[in-house]
């Protein structure tokens, strides 16, 4: 019987970024518009599209072996799964999502304890209930179907637990953050049984390695150039690198070839400096992976 790994692709905001990341890592996932079963060019893998909010539940029960979801929804479901690695997509955001406790700007609440006996509205009901229960703060937590900020503005609850990155929208609505309850980033999760299976664990670890290498390459480029031999020290001081730049002598020449890896945003500043130091034949090239 052939081996198969069941993989959950997150449907929604992470979907396109996940497909693109897998492509850079070496796998082609094709999402079909009329079903929830993407195809993948790996006979050892079977993919399903699953909402991140539900991913950890399906991973835990073994419907799928491994998937990608926000850490917030893993904690919301209180799922007994193993976190393999973080998957921080720059195509989505490099900032963690922050779940914060929020009140109106004129509220007298200064700390979570001040909310004892009140009602809190949120999408993250399970996590919020546990957060307050662990601190022995009696509150009533209600599920919000959306427009959560409006509920506290309209007086339908005394506070909300809402997700934000910068907090700018919360401030724009005249609200105030009391405290931060949790930070969340996308994570790859696996169920206990799959992790205990040597073949599946090996497959998952190889996938994680390649995905991480593709993530490491985001925003990075390679740069190669030729330079006079007596300018090597000056150029290498200007040129950043993951390690030391690679320097090799050109055949029958006093010139050298220098190769380095650096953030793409720095190229526009560095190339003019390299040219002033006598560098020629400067070539910038994209990177898919850094291992």
């Amino acid at each position: 019987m052939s081996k198969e790994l069941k993989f959950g692709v997150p449907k929604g905001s992470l979907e396109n970024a996940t497909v693109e990341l897998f492509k850079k890592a070496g796998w082609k996932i094709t999402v079909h518009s009329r079903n929830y079963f993407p195809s993948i060019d790996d006979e050892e893998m079977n993919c399903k599209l699953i909402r991140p909010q539900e991913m950890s539940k399906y991973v835990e029960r073994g419907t799928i072996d491994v998937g990608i979801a926000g850490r917030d929804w893993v904690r919301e479901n209180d799922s007994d799964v193993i976190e393999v690695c973080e998957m921080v997509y720059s195509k989505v955001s490099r900032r963690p999502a922050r779940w914060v406790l929020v009140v109106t700007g004129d509220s007298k609440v200064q700390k979570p304890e001040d909310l004892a006996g009140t009602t809190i509205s949120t999408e993250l009901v399970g996590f919020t209930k546990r957060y307050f229960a662990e601190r022995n703060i009696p509150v009533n937590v209600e599920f919000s179907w959306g427009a959560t900020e409006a509920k506290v503005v309209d007086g339908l609850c005394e506070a909300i637990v809402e997700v934000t990155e910068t907090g700018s929208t919360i401030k724009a609505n005249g609200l105030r953050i009391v405290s931060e309850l949790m930070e969340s980033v996308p994570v790859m999760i696996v169920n206990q049984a799959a992790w205990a299976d040597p073949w599946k664990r090996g497959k998952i670890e190889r996938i994680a390695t390649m995905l991480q290498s593709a993530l490491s390459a985001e925003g990075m480029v390679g740069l190669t150039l030729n330079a006079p031999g007596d300018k090597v020290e000056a150029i290498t001081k200007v040129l950043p690198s993951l390690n030391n730049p690679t320097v090799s002598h050109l055949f029958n020449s006093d010139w050298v070839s220098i190769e380095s890896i650096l953030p793409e945003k720095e190229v526009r500043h560095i190339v003019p400096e390299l040219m002033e130091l006598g560098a020629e034949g400067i070539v910038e090239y994209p990177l898919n992976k850094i291992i």
Side-chain angles (χ1 to χ4, degrees):
M1 182 178 178
S2 60
K3 299 283 189 178
E4 182 181 72
L5 185 74
K6 294 173 288 186
F7 196 96
V9 177
K11 181 173 176 58
S13 61
L14 290 177
E15 183 179 330
N16 290 336
T18 299
V19 171
E20 184 176 339
L21 179 63
F22 264 84
K23 182 179 180 180
K24 289 183 177 180
W27 285 269
K28 182 180 179 181
I29 296 176
T30 303
V31 178
H32 307 287
S33 60
R34 297 188 178 184
N35 67 49
Y36 288 85
F37 303 96
S39 58
I40 185 169
D41 61 344
D42 187 333
E43 294 180 354
E44 296 177 338
M45 294 180 67
N46 183 300
C47 292
K48 293 179 176 64
L49 272 179
I50 298 175
R51 290 282 181 187
Q53 295 90 330
E54 301 177 300
M55 186 74 74
S56 66
K57 294 190 294 186
Y58 291 115
V59 171
E60 182 179 26
R61 71 181 61 160
T63 305
I64 54 175
D65 298 308
V66 60
I68 296 173
R71 183 178 284 138
D72 46 4
W73 294 107
V74 177
R75 296 184 66 181
E76 164 67 4
N77 296 325
D78 199 21
S79 300
D80 183 22
V81 295
I82 296 167
E83 183 179 309
V84 179
C85 59
E86 293 185 353
M87 309 297 297
V88 186
Y89 304 76
S90 64
K91 292 289 184 180
V92 179
S93 176
R94 281 289 185 188
R95 292 193 183 105
R98 301 160 54 222
W99 284 90
V100 292
L101 182 62
V102 176
V103 296
T104 55
D106 58 359
S107 173
K108 294 181 180 180
V109 173
Q110 298 298 321
K111 56 186 184 299
E113 289 78 5
D114 296 338
L115 286 164
T118 66
T119 295
I120 299 172
S121 184
T122 182
E123 291 181 71
L124 216 63
V125 173
F127 169 81
T128 303
K129 284 183 176 179
R130 290 191 299 275
Y131 178 90
F132 281 91
E134 289 167 1
R135 290 157 181 77
N136 296 314
I137 305 171
V139 294
N140 175 41
V141 181
E142 294 182 341
F143 178 74
S144 173
W145 289 98
T148 308
E149 291 167 345
K151 292 180 172 65
V152 69
V153 172
D154 292 341
L156 301 176
C157 58
E158 285 72 27
I160 61 173
V161 172
E162 182 66 315
V163 66
T164 185
E165 285 188 2
T166 65
S168 57
T169 302
I170 289 172
K171 292 178 182 177
N173 283 285
L175 304 176
R176 175 169 53 85
I177 296 175
V178 175
S179 61
E180 182 178 305
L181 308 190
M182 171 178 48
E183 280 191 352
S184 176
V185 295
V187 291
M188 181 184 289
I189 53 175
V190 58
N191 66 53
Q192 301 283 347
W195 198 241
D197 181 296
W199 182 86
K200 288 185 177 181
R201 179 166 180 166
K203 181 77 174 180
I204 292 166
E205 289 177 336
R206 289 191 293 274
I207 293 170
T209 295
M210 298 309 293
L211 293 178
Q212 287 291 307
S213 72
L215 286 168
S216 296
E218 288 190 340
M220 304 293 286
V221 296
L223 203 68
T224 182
L225 56 97
N226 295 331
D230 60 355
K231 297 293 185 180
V232 171
E233 186 173 346
I235 287 176
T236 54
K237 285 182 179 179
V238 170
L239 201 60
S241 177
L242 290 179
N243 297 301
N244 293 322
T246 300
V247 179
S248 56
H249 287 276
L250 299 180
F251 183 67
N252 284 339
S253 173
D254 293 332
W255 282 54
V256 297
S257 174
I258 301 175
E259 188 168 5
S260 183
I261 294 174
L262 65 157
E264 184 177 15
K265 63 183 180 181
E266 294 186 15
V267 173
R268 63 187 179 187
H269 304 297
I270 288 174
V271 167
E273 291 186 56
L274 295 174
M275 293 176 67
E276 289 174 5
L277 290 169
E280 297 180 0
I282 301 171
V283 177
E284 175 189 339
Y285 53 91
L287 302 173
N288 279 335
K289 306 176 189 68
I290 298 177
I291 301 174

